[in-house]
Amino acid sequence: MEEFKILSIDGGGIRGVLPASYLAYIEEKLKDNDKIHEYFDMIVGTSTGAIIALALSLGISAKDILKLYEEKGSSIFPLRPRKFNFGFIVPKYSNKKLKEELKNLFKEETIINDCKTRVCIPTINITCGKTVVRKTRHSKDLEHDYLLPVWQVASESSAAPGFFPAFEDDNKCQYIDGGLWANNPTLIGIAEALKLGYSLEQIKVLSLGTGKNLIHKDGWKYKFLGLIGYGTSLVEITFQTQSQGVYNTANYLLNDRFERIDVNLPKTYNFIFFPEFGIDKIGSVKSLKNFGFDEAKGSIIKIKTKFFNKKVTAFKPVPL
């Protein structure tokens, strides 16, 4: 029975270091300088996971993706003079540097259909109030997304409310983080595979999380919190609970054909009650990198046997 293998990568801001380092370790152990995308029929990713998914699908090594977080993370999530701006009124960060780094990584002229495997990237068109999934032209029904610049699609999916402003395209449509509805995009990949004619029994998924760091609002006073009281932690809560829900559903649908790699992050704090492993905490990069490597060392035999034992058929976009 022909398999359809999907790599799914969660959103999580700077915590993208975790899946990037995990894949960098795996990639290093592949033979003949093979690339990750050569072993998957589809790669889906949200927010920071969208950046990783698109980079991998273009043949960029996981090692180079990891370098992006290590070398450019502090410029994307800078320590700003307005340090008491927690994203309550305006976004904590400008998206200027993020867009600049994405253009450098992907090159402005690169479009979605240049990807070497099928991709699906969720976002939200906040102008119209609609969920959107950007896709390669892997079906004759797809007539638009595949022409979009890769850097733009990554920017759309990464615009987390409270952290970055919405991404505005040339038509004045605005897009925000796909993690608000599909932080773990596994079900998007499964649904797309079914639409392409594969059965559940043919689908296998490797799902990579960005660390479990659920924020608890414990105590009587938190019963009375409004939006300002929760602040940007509400975005993180949304991301993580959505990922948990998808994990439960995907595990039920696929059973042993679904593998989830994630890490329980330690409870540490570095400023008032904001966790060190928040999605914009660049001080966590070294720890996250070590967590990713350690998790890869412990699971590499099983994961290589299940997902990296055979390359997939090379992807060719459906011609116009």
Side-chain angles (χ1 to χ4, degrees):
M1 182 174 65
E2 183 183 3
E3 293 181 336
F4 190 89
K5 294 188 292 184
I6 301 170
L7 174 61
S8 173
I9 309 171
D10 283 18
I14 198 66
R15 294 206 305 265
V17 168
L18 210 164
S21 58
Y22 182 90
L23 291 170
Y25 185 89
I26 298 291
E27 188 177 66
E28 188 179 302
K29 303 301 179 182
L30 299 178
K31 59 183 180 181
D32 302 324
N33 295 315
D34 289 349
K35 297 295 181 64
I36 297 291
H37 75 84
E38 296 177 291
Y39 291 87
F40 291 94
D41 298 284
M42 179 180 290
I43 305 179
V44 295
T46 303
S47 193
T48 197
I51 296 172
I52 299 171
L54 290 165
L56 291 172
S57 70
L58 288 168
I60 298 173
S61 71
K63 182 180 179 180
D64 286 339
I65 299 168
L66 179 58
K67 282 183 182 178
L68 174 71
Y69 288 97
E70 292 181 295
E71 297 175 1
K72 305 300 181 180
S74 58
S75 60
I76 294 171
F77 296 110
L79 293 174
R80 306 178 71 196
R82 294 185 298 166
K83 68 178 181 178
F84 292 107
N85 168 28
F86 298 130
F88 300 156
I89 308 299
V90 296
K92 294 176 71 174
Y93 309 103
S94 164
N95 63 359
K96 182 179 179 180
K97 192 64 179 178
L98 174 62
K99 290 191 291 185
E100 180 182 312
E101 294 300 341
L102 291 176
K103 288 178 182 179
N104 289 337
L105 177 66
F106 296 124
K107 311 305 176 188
E108 289 194 55
E109 66 276 10
T110 305
I111 62 173
I112 290 293
N113 231 36
D114 291 327
C115 293
K116 302 176 188 298
T117 189
R118 302 167 187 84
V119 298
C120 290
I121 307 295
T123 184
I124 298 171
N125 183 334
I126 197 65
T127 307
C128 302
K130 292 182 178 180
T131 58
V132 176
V133 181
R134 303 300 197 188
K135 305 174 184 179
T136 43
R137 187 171 164 80
H138 50 254
S139 167
K140 64 180 181 180
D141 299 326
L142 302 173
E143 292 286 347
H144 172 63
D145 294 347
Y146 68 96
L147 295 172
L148 293 174
V150 172
W151 74 265
Q152 175 181 324
V153 173
S155 297
E156 290 175 352
S157 189
S158 303
F163 294 94
F164 293 112
F167 177 87
E168 185 173 88
D169 66 14
D170 293 338
N171 297 315
K172 302 301 180 182
C173 287
Q174 296 181 354
Y175 297 87
I176 60 174
D177 202 313
L180 295 173
W181 72 278
N183 198 57
N184 178 342
T186 294
L187 294 182
I188 291 174
I190 293 173
E192 196 69 14
L194 292 172
K195 188 176 180 180
L196 290 173
Y198 294 90
S199 68
L200 280 177
E201 289 70 30
Q202 292 174 287
I203 299 169
K204 291 170 66 173
V205 178
L206 174 58
S207 174
L208 303 182
T210 56
K212 290 178 281 189
N213 184 32
L214 187 60
I215 297 171
H216 299 276
K217 295 293 185 182
D218 195 13
W220 66 270
K221 61 183 178 180
Y222 293 112
K223 292 191 295 184
F224 305 104
L225 283 180
L227 291 177
I228 290 180
Y230 278 97
T232 54
S233 67
L234 187 59
V235 174
E236 297 198 46
I237 292 169
T238 301
F239 287 177
Q240 294 198 41
T241 52
Q242 194 280 336
S243 290
Q244 289 176 22
V246 168
Y247 165 78
N248 293 333
T249 304
N251 197 42
Y252 175 79
L253 290 173
L254 300 182
N255 297 307
D256 61 351
R257 298 185 306 283
F258 176 71
E259 288 291 339
R260 174 72 169 172
I261 302 296
D262 209 355
V263 173
N264 287 312
L265 299 173
K267 275 287 181 184
T268 55
Y269 299 85
N270 64 352
F271 182 66
I272 310 178
F273 44 80
F274 289 84
E276 181 182 2
F277 292 100
I279 66 177
D280 61 339
K281 302 302 181 183
I282 60 170
S284 64
V285 167
K286 185 175 181 180
S287 295
L288 290 166
K289 180 180 177 179
N290 289 333
F291 293 156
F293 284 160
D294 188 64
E295 194 68 20
K297 291 174 184 176
S299 62
I300 189 168
I301 294 176
K302 180 180 181 181
I303 294 303
K304 280 187 69 176
T305 301
K306 202 165 188 176
F307 293 96
F308 294 94
N309 60 337
K310 182 181 178 183
K311 292 183 181 180
V312 301
T313 303
F315 168 63
K316 293 182 179 180
V318 176
L320 289 172

